[in-house]
Amino acid sequence: MEVRLNKYIAESGFASRRKAEEYIVQGRVLLNGKVVKNLSTKVDPFTDVVYVDDIKLKLKEKIYFLLNKPKGVITSTADEKNRRTVVDLIRTSEKIFPVGRLDYNTTGVLLLTNDGEFSNKLTQPKNKFKRVYIATIDKDLTEKDKEKLLSGVYIEKDKGKFLSGVQTKKRKGKFTEISFVKENNYKIVKATTVEGRNHFVKNMFSSLGYRVNELGRESFGGVTVKGLREGEYRIFTYKEIKKLMDNS
Ligand code: URA
């Protein structure tokens, strides 16, 4: 996740982006020991070392956690009904927030961070990170419906502004892969999508008359919660972040 040098300098609190550009052009900025005057130079915040004059810059600490979300916890930083949130499960003094959203009773992979740019990158639809879900549905998924889910179904009423006021329109969604977790069991479905819309999996199935009774996210961009029990978490490392970014 490289950033432009002037942005990096501004994020360190040393100077505004405009001032930073002046320093760069004046040859006062060293990147990994070398003077850089090119304004489009990019910096890897995790590995590069930047000095302005003789001062080594340091970014505000960014922190990343990987949680195996349990049931009965809301994916938010606070709840008006005082229910437990995913942030309550993590011991840190940093102001972190969840990356995207899992429903109250959905389990599995959830990242949390104080890095807004990282979060945006992962959740922006155009970046198409793969999400793999295991859904237990209330009746056998037929072959015909499986094909429909793969080719696309209308799932939600989207609020859009039109000249005549606010109207609703339905938008299509689709899974990119569907398989069954157990042989001869057509109720436990592994479904892959690049979509992050709220309640996406449930809405997909309910559009064809199925109810999702259990839902777990097995992976996000290749990241799994292997080794973590439900409710457990660990630091998500810079190395893992790099690998995840390569998976988009
Ligand atoms: N889709 C859903 O319906 N719920 C989730 O929690 C995640 C994806």
Side-chain angles (χ1 to χ4, degrees):
M1 279 212 302
E2 296 197 320
V3 294
R4 280 172 76 122
L5 185 52
N6 67 327
K7 185 166 182 224
Y8 180 95
I9 296 171
E11 280 189 359
S12 77
F14 189 89
S16 67
R17 283 198 206 186
R18 282 250 324 255
K19 267 275 169 241
E21 287 193 349
E22 284 176 28
Y23 296 155
I24 296 168
V25 175
Q26 289 163 0
R28 291 166 61 182
V29 179
L30 291 186
L31 172 60
N32 299 326
K34 285 200 185 115
V35 173
V36 276
K37 290 190 174 180
N38 186 342
L39 289 175
S40 52
T41 304
K42 293 217 165 165
V43 181
D44 182 332
F46 299 133
T47 54
D48 288 336
V49 180
V50 178
Y51 278 80
V52 180
D53 299 335
D54 279 336
I55 299 163
K56 184 175 178 184
L57 303 190
K58 201 166 172 266
L59 290 187
K60 185 173 149 278
E61 197 183 356
K62 302 262 172 76
I63 191 153
Y64 309 84
F65 294 99
L66 170 62
L67 169 72
N68 185 351
K69 181 190 171 296
K71 285 185 180 177
V73 181
I74 70 159
T75 306
S76 172
T77 51
D79 182 42
E80 74 280 3
K81 291 189 209 148
N82 251 339
R83 287 172 301 180
R84 227 162 34 129
T85 74
V86 285
V87 170
D88 295 333
L89 300 178
I90 293 181
R91 286 177 62 161
T92 176
S93 54
E94 294 293 330
K95 269 196 170 5
I96 56 167
F97 50 86
V99 175
R101 185 173 173 155
L102 290 179
D103 293 336
Y104 188 65
N105 279 329
T106 301
T107 59
V109 177
L110 186 70
L111 291 163
L112 297 103
T113 183
N114 59 359
D115 182 345
E117 211 164 317
F118 171 76
S119 175
N120 288 342
K121 178 115 203 239
L122 291 186
T123 50
Q124 271 168 6
K126 67 170 189 229
N127 291 329
K128 298 195 185 307
F129 282 95
K130 251 192 198 181
R131 289 109 160 133
V132 181
Y133 293 94
I134 307 288
T136 305
I137 52 178
D138 61 342
K139 54 187 186 232
D140 289 352
L141 180 66
T142 64
E143 192 54 37
K144 208 167 133 203
D145 286 343
K146 180 180 156 190
E147 291 311 317
K148 283 188 190 164
L149 293 171
L150 288 169
S151 58
V153 291
Y154 284 102
I155 52 167
E156 72 180 67
K157 291 190 179 81
D158 218 31
K159 282 209 171 83
K161 282 210 165 74
F162 295 84
L163 283 178
S164 54
V166 177
Q167 292 183 2
T168 57
K169 73 175 169 35
K170 284 190 162 191
R171 273 172 62 200
K172 264 191 173 178
K174 67 174 186 171
F175 291 130
T176 53
E177 284 165 59
I178 294 179
S179 61
F180 296 99
V181 174
K182 294 182 184 160
E183 225 176 294
N184 298 323
N185 181 332
Y186 304 102
K187 286 197 184 93
I188 308 181
V189 185
K190 185 190 274 214
T192 303
T193 177
V194 292
E195 287 260 11
R197 280 184 266 170
N198 285 345
H199 315 305
F200 182 78
V201 176
K202 289 176 191 160
N203 288 342
M204 286 289 288
F205 281 106
S206 82
S207 74
L208 298 179
Y210 297 86
R211 206 185 116 100
V212 173
N213 290 331
E214 297 268 330
L215 188 61
R217 182 152 71 188
E218 188 183 75
S219 70
F220 185 114
V223 175
T224 71
V225 283
K226 203 169 153 223
L228 293 174
R229 279 177 300 194
E230 281 177 25
E232 286 186 339
Y233 66 91
R234 65 172 174 80
I235 291 278
F236 191 63
T237 66
Y238 296 152
K239 208 169 148 192
E240 290 175 300
I241 291 168
K242 279 196 173 276
K243 197 165 158 212
L244 173 58
M245 291 303 160
D246 292 344
N247 271 339
S248 69

Coordinates of all heavy atoms in Angstrom, one line a residue, residues 190-240:
K190 N -21.2 -23.8 0.1 CA -20.0 -22.9 0.1 C -20.2 -21.9 -1.1 O -20.2 -22.4 -2.2 CB -18.7 -23.7 0.0 CG -17.5 -22.8 0.1 CD -16.2 -23.5 -0.3 CE -15.6 -24.3 0.9 NZ -14.1 -24.3 0.8
A191 N -20.3 -20.7 -0.8 CA -20.6 -19.7 -1.8 C -19.6 -18.6 -1.8 O -19.2 -18.0 -0.8 CB -22.0 -19.1 -1.6
T192 N -19.0 -18.3 -3.0 CA -18.0 -17.3 -3.1 C -18.6 -16.1 -3.9 O -19.3 -16.2 -4.8 CB -16.8 -17.9 -4.0 OG1 -16.4 -19.0 -3.3 CG2 -15.7 -16.9 -4.1
T193 N -18.2 -14.9 -3.4 CA -18.6 -13.7 -4.0 C -17.6 -12.6 -3.9 O -16.7 -12.7 -3.0 CB -20.0 -13.2 -3.4 OG1 -20.3 -12.0 -4.0 CG2 -19.9 -12.9 -1.9
V194 N -17.6 -11.6 -4.7 CA -16.8 -10.4 -4.5 C -17.6 -9.3 -4.0 O -17.1 -8.1 -3.9 CB -16.0 -10.0 -5.8 CG1 -15.0 -11.1 -6.2 CG2 -17.0 -9.8 -7.0
E195 N -18.8 -9.5 -3.6 CA -19.7 -8.5 -3.2 C -19.6 -8.3 -1.7 O -19.5 -9.3 -0.9 CB -21.1 -8.9 -3.5 CG -21.5 -8.8 -4.9 CD -22.3 -7.5 -5.2 OE1 -22.4 -6.7 -4.3 OE2 -22.8 -7.5 -6.3
G196 N -19.8 -7.0 -1.2 CA -19.7 -6.8 0.2 C -21.0 -6.1 0.7 O -21.0 -5.6 1.8
R197 N -22.0 -6.1 -0.1 CA -23.3 -5.4 0.3 C -23.8 -6.1 1.6 O -23.7 -7.3 1.8 CB -24.3 -5.5 -0.8 CG -24.1 -4.5 -1.9 CD -25.2 -4.6 -2.9 NE -24.9 -5.4 -4.0 CZ -25.8 -5.8 -4.9 NH1 -27.1 -5.4 -4.8 NH2 -25.5 -6.6 -5.9
N198 N -24.5 -5.3 2.4 CA -25.0 -5.8 3.7 C -26.0 -6.9 3.4 O -26.8 -6.8 2.4 CB -25.8 -4.7 4.4 CG -24.8 -3.7 5.1 OD1 -23.6 -4.0 5.2 ND2 -25.3 -2.6 5.5
H199 N -26.0 -8.0 4.2 CA -26.9 -9.1 4.1 C -26.9 -9.8 2.7 O -27.9 -10.4 2.3 CB -28.3 -8.7 4.4 CG -28.5 -7.8 5.6 ND1 -28.0 -8.1 6.9 CD2 -29.0 -6.6 5.8 CE1 -28.2 -7.1 7.7 NE2 -28.8 -6.2 7.1
F200 N -25.8 -9.6 2.0 CA -25.7 -10.1 0.7 C -26.1 -11.6 0.5 O -26.9 -12.0 -0.3 CB -24.3 -9.9 0.1 CG -24.2 -10.3 -1.4 CD1 -24.7 -9.5 -2.4 CD2 -23.6 -11.5 -1.7 CE1 -24.6 -9.8 -3.7 CE2 -23.5 -11.9 -3.0 CZ -24.0 -11.0 -4.0
V201 N -25.5 -12.4 1.3 CA -25.7 -13.9 1.2 C -27.1 -14.2 1.5 O -27.8 -15.0 0.7 CB -24.7 -14.7 2.1 CG1 -25.0 -16.2 2.0 CG2 -23.2 -14.4 1.7
K202 N -27.6 -13.7 2.6 CA -29.0 -13.9 3.0 C -30.0 -13.5 1.9 O -31.0 -14.1 1.6 CB -29.3 -13.3 4.3 CG -28.6 -14.0 5.5 CD -28.9 -13.3 6.8 CE -27.9 -13.9 7.8 NZ -27.8 -13.0 9.0
N203 N -29.7 -12.3 1.4 CA -30.6 -11.7 0.3 C -30.6 -12.6 -0.9 O -31.6 -12.7 -1.6 CB -30.2 -10.3 0.0 CG -30.6 -9.3 1.1 OD1 -31.5 -9.7 2.0 ND2 -30.0 -8.2 1.2
M204 N -29.4 -13.1 -1.3 CA -29.3 -13.9 -2.5 C -30.2 -15.1 -2.3 O -30.9 -15.5 -3.2 CB -27.8 -14.4 -2.6 CG -26.8 -13.3 -3.1 SD -27.1 -12.9 -4.8 CE -26.5 -14.3 -5.7
F205 N -30.0 -15.8 -1.2 CA -30.8 -17.1 -1.0 C -32.3 -16.7 -0.9 O -33.1 -17.4 -1.4 CB -30.3 -17.9 0.2 CG -29.0 -18.6 -0.1 CD1 -27.8 -18.2 0.4 CD2 -29.1 -19.8 -0.9 CE1 -26.7 -19.0 0.1 CE2 -28.0 -20.5 -1.2 CZ -26.7 -20.1 -0.7
S206 N -32.6 -15.7 -0.1 CA -34.0 -15.4 0.1 C -34.7 -15.0 -1.2 O -35.9 -15.2 -1.3 CB -34.2 -14.4 1.2 OG -34.1 -13.1 0.8
S207 N -34.0 -14.4 -2.1 CA -34.6 -14.1 -3.4 C -35.2 -15.3 -4.1 O -36.1 -15.2 -5.0 CB -33.6 -13.4 -4.3 OG -32.7 -14.3 -4.8
L208 N -34.7 -16.5 -3.8 CA -35.2 -17.7 -4.4 C -36.0 -18.6 -3.4 O -36.2 -19.8 -3.6 CB -34.0 -18.5 -5.0 CG -33.2 -17.9 -6.1 CD1 -32.1 -18.7 -6.6 CD2 -34.1 -17.5 -7.3
G209 N -36.3 -18.0 -2.2 CA -37.2 -18.7 -1.3 C -36.4 -19.5 -0.3 O -37.1 -20.4 0.4
Y210 N -35.1 -19.3 -0.1 CA -34.4 -20.1 0.9 C -34.1 -19.2 2.1 O -33.9 -18.0 1.9 CB -33.0 -20.6 0.4 CG -33.1 -21.5 -0.8 CD1 -33.3 -21.0 -2.1 CD2 -33.1 -22.9 -0.6 CE1 -33.3 -21.9 -3.2 CE2 -33.2 -23.8 -1.7 CZ -33.3 -23.3 -3.0 OH -33.4 -24.1 -4.0
R211 N -34.0 -19.8 3.3 CA -33.6 -19.1 4.5 C -32.3 -19.5 4.9 O -32.0 -20.7 4.9 CB -34.7 -19.4 5.5 CG -34.9 -18.4 6.6 CD -35.8 -19.0 7.6 NE -35.0 -19.1 8.9 CZ -35.2 -18.2 9.8 NH1 -36.0 -17.3 9.8 NH2 -34.4 -18.3 10.9
V212 N -31.4 -18.6 5.3 CA -30.1 -19.0 5.8 C -30.2 -19.1 7.3 O -30.5 -18.1 8.0 CB -29.0 -17.9 5.4 CG1 -27.7 -18.2 6.1 CG2 -28.9 -17.8 3.9
N213 N -30.0 -20.3 7.8 CA -30.0 -20.5 9.3 C -28.7 -20.3 10.0 O -28.7 -19.9 11.1 CB -30.5 -21.9 9.6 CG -32.0 -22.1 9.2 OD1 -32.8 -21.1 9.2 ND2 -32.4 -23.3 8.8
E214 N -27.6 -20.6 9.3 CA -26.3 -20.4 9.9 C -25.4 -19.8 8.8 O -25.5 -20.2 7.6 CB -25.6 -21.7 10.2 CG -26.4 -22.5 11.3 CD -25.8 -22.3 12.6 OE1 -24.6 -21.9 12.8 OE2 -26.6 -22.4 13.6
L215 N -24.5 -18.9 9.2 CA -23.7 -18.3 8.2 C -22.3 -18.0 8.8 O -22.2 -17.5 9.9 CB -24.2 -17.0 7.7 CG -23.5 -16.3 6.5 CD1 -23.5 -17.3 5.3 CD2 -24.2 -15.0 6.1
G216 N -21.3 -18.4 8.1 CA -19.9 -18.2 8.5 C -19.1 -17.7 7.4 O -19.2 -18.1 6.2
R217 N -18.2 -16.8 7.6 CA -17.2 -16.3 6.5 C -16.0 -17.1 6.7 O -15.2 -17.0 7.7 CB -17.0 -14.8 6.6 CG -16.1 -14.4 5.4 CD -16.3 -13.0 5.0 NE -15.9 -12.0 6.0 CZ -16.1 -10.7 5.9 NH1 -16.8 -10.3 4.9 NH2 -15.6 -9.9 6.8
E218 N -15.7 -18.0 5.7 CA -14.5 -18.8 5.8 C -13.3 -18.1 5.4 O -12.2 -18.3 5.9 CB -14.7 -20.0 4.8 CG -13.7 -21.1 4.9 CD -13.9 -22.2 3.9 OE1 -13.6 -22.0 2.7 OE2 -14.4 -23.2 4.4
S219 N -13.4 -17.2 4.4 CA -12.2 -16.4 4.0 C -12.5 -15.1 3.4 O -13.6 -14.9 2.9 CB -11.3 -17.2 3.1 OG -11.9 -17.4 1.9
F220 N -11.6 -14.2 3.4 CA -11.7 -12.8 2.8 C -10.4 -12.6 2.2 O -9.3 -12.5 2.8 CB -12.0 -11.8 3.9 CG -12.2 -10.4 3.4 CD1 -13.5 -9.8 3.5 CD2 -11.3 -9.7 2.7 CE1 -13.7 -8.6 3.0 CE2 -11.5 -8.5 2.2 CZ -12.7 -7.9 2.3
G221 N -10.4 -12.5 0.8 CA -9.1 -12.2 0.1 C -8.0 -13.3 0.4 O -6.9 -13.0 0.5
G222 N -8.5 -14.5 0.7 CA -7.6 -15.6 1.0 C -7.2 -15.7 2.5 O -6.6 -16.6 2.9
V223 N -7.6 -14.7 3.3 CA -7.3 -14.7 4.7 C -8.3 -15.6 5.5 O -9.6 -15.4 5.3 CB -7.4 -13.3 5.3 CG1 -7.2 -13.3 6.9 CG2 -6.4 -12.4 4.7
T224 N -7.9 -16.6 6.3 CA -8.8 -17.4 7.0 C -8.5 -17.3 8.5 O -7.5 -16.6 8.9 CB -8.5 -18.9 6.7 OG1 -7.3 -19.3 7.2 CG2 -8.5 -19.2 5.2
V225 N -9.3 -17.8 9.3 CA -9.1 -17.8 10.8 C -8.6 -19.1 11.3 O -8.8 -19.4 12.5 CB -10.4 -17.4 11.5 CG1 -10.7 -15.9 11.4 CG2 -11.6 -18.2 11.1
K226 N -7.9 -19.8 10.5 CA -7.2 -21.0 10.9 C -6.5 -20.8 12.2 O -5.7 -19.9 12.3 CB -6.3 -21.5 9.8 CG -6.0 -22.9 9.7 CD -5.3 -23.3 8.5 CE -4.5 -24.6 8.8 NZ -3.2 -24.5 8.2
G227 N -6.7 -21.7 13.1 CA -6.0 -21.6 14.4 C -6.6 -20.7 15.4 O -6.2 -20.7 16.6
L228 N -7.7 -20.0 15.0 CA -8.4 -19.1 16.0 C -9.8 -19.7 16.3 O -10.5 -20.0 15.3 CB -8.6 -17.7 15.4 CG -7.4 -16.8 15.2 CD1 -7.8 -15.5 14.5 CD2 -6.7 -16.5 16.5
R229 N -10.1 -19.9 17.6 CA -11.4 -20.3 17.9 C -12.4 -19.1 17.8 O -11.9 -18.0 17.8 CB -11.5 -21.0 19.3 CG -11.0 -22.4 19.2 CD -11.0 -23.0 20.6 NE -10.1 -22.2 21.4 CZ -9.6 -22.6 22.6 NH1 -9.9 -23.7 23.1 NH2 -8.8 -21.8 23.2
E230 N -13.7 -19.4 17.8 CA -14.6 -18.2 17.7 C -14.4 -17.3 18.9 O -14.3 -17.8 20.0 CB -16.1 -18.7 17.7 CG -16.4 -19.2 16.3 CD -17.8 -19.7 16.2 OE1 -18.7 -19.4 17.0 OE2 -18.1 -20.6 15.2
G231 N -14.3 -16.0 18.7 CA -14.1 -15.1 19.7 C -12.6 -14.8 19.9 O -12.2 -13.8 20.6
E232 N -11.7 -15.6 19.3 CA -10.3 -15.3 19.5 C -9.8 -14.4 18.4 O -10.4 -14.4 17.3 CB -9.5 -16.6 19.4 CG -9.6 -17.4 20.7 CD -8.7 -18.7 20.7 OE1 -8.3 -19.1 19.6 OE2 -8.5 -19.2 21.8
Y233 N -8.7 -13.7 18.6 CA -8.1 -12.8 17.6 C -6.6 -12.8 17.8 O -6.1 -13.2 18.8 CB -8.7 -11.4 17.8 CG -8.3 -10.7 19.1 CD1 -7.1 -9.9 19.2 CD2 -9.0 -10.9 20.3 CE1 -6.8 -9.3 20.3 CE2 -8.7 -10.2 21.4 CZ -7.5 -9.5 21.5 OH -7.1 -8.9 22.6
R234 N -6.0 -12.2 16.8 CA -4.5 -12.0 16.8 C -4.2 -10.8 16.0 O -5.0 -10.3 15.2 CB -3.8 -13.3 16.3 CG -4.0 -13.6 14.9 CD -3.1 -14.7 14.4 NE -3.4 -15.2 13.1 CZ -3.0 -14.5 11.9 NH1 -2.3 -13.4 12.0 NH2 -3.3 -15.0 10.8
I235 N -2.9 -10.4 16.2 CA -2.4 -9.3 15.3 C -2.3 -9.8 13.9 O -1.9 -10.9 13.6 CB -1.0 -8.8 15.8 CG1 -1.1 -8.1 17.1 CG2 -0.3 -8.0 14.7 CD1 -1.5 -6.7 17.1
F236 N -2.8 -9.0 12.9 CA -2.6 -9.3 11.5 C -1.4 -8.6 11.0 O -1.3 -7.3 11.2 CB -3.9 -8.8 10.8 CG -4.0 -9.3 9.4 CD1 -4.2 -10.6 9.1 CD2 -4.0 -8.4 8.3 CE1 -4.3 -11.1 7.8 CE2 -4.2 -8.8 7.0 CZ -4.3 -10.2 6.8
T237 N -0.4 -9.3 10.6 CA 0.9 -8.7 10.4 C 1.1 -8.0 9.0 O 0.3 -8.1 8.1 CB 2.0 -9.8 10.4 OG1 1.8 -10.7 9.2 CG2 1.9 -10.7 11.6
Y238 N 2.1 -7.1 9.0 CA 2.4 -6.4 7.7 C 2.6 -7.3 6.5 O 2.2 -7.0 5.4 CB 3.6 -5.5 7.9 CG 3.4 -4.4 9.0 CD1 4.5 -3.9 9.7 CD2 2.1 -3.9 9.3 CE1 4.3 -2.9 10.7 CE2 1.9 -3.0 10.2 CZ 3.0 -2.5 10.9 OH 2.8 -1.5 11.9
K239 N 3.3 -8.4 6.8 CA 3.5 -9.4 5.8 C 2.2 -9.9 5.2 O 2.0 -10.1 4.0 CB 4.3 -10.6 6.4 CG 5.2 -11.2 5.4 CD 6.1 -12.2 6.1 CE 6.4 -13.4 5.2 NZ 7.1 -14.4 5.9
E240 N 1.3 -10.2 6.1 CA -0.1 -10.7 5.7 C -0.8 -9.6 4.9 O -1.6 -9.9 4.0 CB -0.9 -11.1 6.9 CG -0.3 -12.4 7.5 CD -1.0 -12.8 8.8 OE1 -1.0 -12.0 9.8 OE2 -1.6 -13.9 8.9

